[in-house]
Amino acid sequence: MFRTALRNVLAHKARLLMTVLAVMLGVAFVSGTLVFTNTVSDAYQRSSAKGFEQVDVAIRPEYQDSRGDKVGKVPELTQALLDKAAKVPGAASATGVVSGFTAVAGKDGKLVGGDWQSAGGNYWGTEDPRYPLVGGHAPRGGDEVLIDSATAERAGFRVGDTVRLSVDGPVLTRTVSGIFTTDDGNVAAGGSLTLFDTPTAQSLFGKKGTYDEIDVRAAAGTGQGALKEALDKALPAKLVKTTTGARLADDQARAISSSMGGLKQALLVFAGIALFVGTFIIANTFTMLVAQRTRELALLRAVGASRRQVTRSVLAEAFAVGAVAGVTGLAAGIGIGAGLRSLLGSFGGSMPDGPLVISGGTVLTALAVGILITMLAAWLPGRRAAKIPPVAAMGRVHAKATAKSLVLRNTLGSLFATAGVAVVLAGTRMNADSGQAVLGLGAVLLVIGVFVLTPLLSRPLIAAAAPVLRTFGVSGKLARQNAVRNPRRTAATASALMIGLTLITGMTVMAGSLQTSIDKMASSAIRADYVVSMANRGPLSPDVARRLAAADGVTASSPLRNGESRVDGGTEFLTGVDGAAIGRLTDLKVTDGSFTVGGTRVVVDRGRAEDHGWRAGSRFTAHFEDGTARRLTVAGVYEGNDMLNGIILDNAVLTPHLADPADMQVMVKTAGGATDAAKDGLEKALGDNPAIKVQDKQDISDDIAKMFTLMLNMVYGLLGMAVIVAVLGVVNTLAMSVFERSQEIGMLRAIGLDRRAVKRMVRLESLVISLFGGVLGIGLGVFFGWAAGELLGTKMPTYELVLPWGRLAVFLLLAGTVGVLAALWPARRAARLNPLAAIKSP
């Protein structure tokens, strides 16, 4: 039986080619994802391990959790603590580490490096082994700075050049005293690293006289463990935490692996979708191959082969196909992994040097996925073929499914679909957190139900296209009849395309609706003409708010300043504003009381008011981070949103209790409204600082739109793999259908149907099947998009469903294009059949 199975594979190489390609694409996606993520993770782990070579034990502050009404705080690592650590037996030296955000402007005035990867730190002494100098000297005083070699090369900086910097707002002008190399992963990813001398770094990053970390080197003959024990005995355990360099490297490796895990899971989900779509092709292919060999299988049964042996022979064929697909998919996946690493550099990013990682797990996964998916998809056709009695198979009386099987299938499909709709509707009535899992379960049940019901749905939906098909004469009539001749085959072919379009449509509906809702939120909640913030969304110096308030044309401004407090035994974050101006800068809906901020009068969002049982006139005590308390009065309750929420109070009340006041953003209103001239004036008032964003409502909306557009383009690209697999499925089904109907096509040719009409018949059949799958996919996608929007609406009051009719029409056109393209080869093959030879074929 094994030799028979192998002979059948070799005999049907062309027919199995599309199946191999479909499985190969899915396997390539899986193995490519594993190769790429493992390569990136390994490169960063090697780089981070080098960064810890200069650290034997790291001392970090131990966060002091809040107790009662006290606000938690982070202890300071002082110079005295550093001196004490340096004198511990077994310690050779101790280095104080200071770090923070530092933006660097290039010679063109634009920000160098990514918004989030622009970092700054301190250079220890005159020779810091962490950062080997390749030119110049260590910074001497506050007027000098070091630039990493990658940034210097990108921006064209040399020793002695003047560079413009920003830490928290105000522009700083410094001289490049030297250039250094580093293994910092952020720099490798395209960011920048700027180093100051230690006193300057402490002053700029708000750490005067203190450090973020103290790194201790062990003396010769002292191990990291022994040094850690000595430091633990000498230092206050409740205030600091010591960690060996080896442990830090391991933790960093785990963190990198975890951070890559999200990307890996996302890519594997799309790979799984492609493989899931591929199962329809495999099942279709083996169903048709088995149907073509019914007499052969019946003869094997007649001469003594058991049902189990027949099933095994089909599975053996599937094993051979899956093994070929797994091996070729693995090879393609290695190429994809290498290509993605190169693509990273073409988009301006980079990563540390390292080898391409092809682990044994990747190889086994690729082979296992290819073989298992193929064998699982082929099992049902093989089992179905084995159950046909030999005499019935020889007489081909088994061709049509029994009424009982169709009734059972339709009943199961109806139950799944009904349950899916019910569960989805139930999920939409829950809140966003608890409803996600329910909505996901309902979506799975509904997709399964529609898939099972697709043969039933195919007849009425394809029949609806009959008036259009009649315009094509005999070819159109035959195309409709062929499309509904085998509903199961049509359903499996259309379902492959349906799944891809369901996901694409659902994501498009959600993204478009979210974009509109966020635009509405910004326009309805903000009266300010501009919102000013740091490029990395970090804290702004209070000096920025003062400069903006004094700028020409500014009629009102307010910084948004954050602070932590304890209220009713729990942590509450406070937002400080200019009480006199905030009413002119915001337009938040008030549900109780009035939007009055000043003195001890505050406003709170409705969610927090409900949690604490507050209403207008309620009073509560806020315990600030400096240990003092103040009695505050709720003047009003407002509808919060993602842009502004929480407890809002006057900065005059909040600021005295903050150790290091800093603003998250500043709202500004100008006399002439949002104009190019007004924006230029504000940017000039801030010294044309590349690290600060001055955005009007449209800029904020455009930023969000870019994010959604990038996300959608990534989704389209990843789901494109599933669509390609679906196209292969249509091609495969049509090609094998043409082979099955060779005798029929020959007869049609013999009675006068010309080649052009035969081609038209096959193309129309493909078009009808593809549009059928497209209609189902778009319909399900719109439904899921609506349901997900209902869930999001519980957290976003401004959410409203927006149907992108233009894009939906494009998706339907895409489905039709898939049908037309997929039919090119099968139609040509059908038209070229020799009528006499076709009629004589068995």
Side-chain angles (χ1 to χ4, degrees), residues 574-605:
L574 309 173
T575 300
V577 299
D578 184 328
I582 193 65
R584 288 184 287 166
L585 300 168
T586 59
D587 189 19
L588 298 167
K589 181 181 178 182
V590 178
T591 59
D592 185 22
S594 62
F595 199 87
T596 305
V597 178
T600 60
R601 295 171 68 80
V602 304
V603 293
V604 298
D605 67 85

Side-chain angles (χ1 to χ4, degrees), residues 254-322:
R254 279 191 293 270
I256 292 170
S257 180
S258 177
S259 66
M260 293 301 298
L263 174 63
K264 182 185 292 186
Q265 289 176 5
L267 292 175
L268 288 177
V269 165
F270 289 103
I273 293 169
L275 285 168
F276 182 59
V277 171
T279 58
F280 295 115
I281 299 175
I282 302 165
N284 242 3
T285 301
F286 277 92
T287 298
M288 297 170 78
L289 284 175
V290 168
Q292 293 167 14
R293 291 164 42 211
T294 50
R295 290 184 177 178
E296 175 189 328
L297 295 175
L299 182 60
L300 290 173
R301 291 287 311 281
V303 297
S306 65
R307 288 184 178 182
R308 187 172 296 179
Q309 285 178 311
V310 170
T311 303
R312 284 176 181 172
S313 71
V314 175
L315 291 178
E317 291 180 48
F319 177 86
V321 172

Side-chain angles (χ1 to χ4, degrees), residues 377-454:
W379 175 76
L380 188 59
R383 183 173 178 271
R384 191 184 297 139
K387 291 174 67 176
I388 300 171
V391 175
M394 288 181 180
R396 291 181 178 266
V397 298
H398 66 288
K400 294 184 179 180
T402 63
K404 180 181 178 181
S405 68
L406 291 175
V407 170
L408 179 62
R409 178 177 181 132
N410 294 337
T411 302
L412 286 175
S414 299
L415 290 174
F416 270 101
T418 303
V421 171
V423 173
V424 168
L425 293 177
T428 60
R429 298 179 179 274
M430 300 180 179
N431 60 51
D433 296 324
S434 60
Q436 292 180 14
V438 175
L439 197 65
L441 174 62
V444 171
L445 291 174
L446 181 54
V447 169
I448 293 173
V450 171
F451 168 65
V452 176
L453 285 174
T454 305

Side-chain angles (χ1 to χ4, degrees), residues 806-828:
R807 291 204 175 190
L808 296 183
V810 169
F811 295 157
L812 192 60
L813 181 62
L814 173 66
T817 304
V818 165
V820 172
L821 294 177
L824 291 177
W825 178 60
R828 185 169 179 269

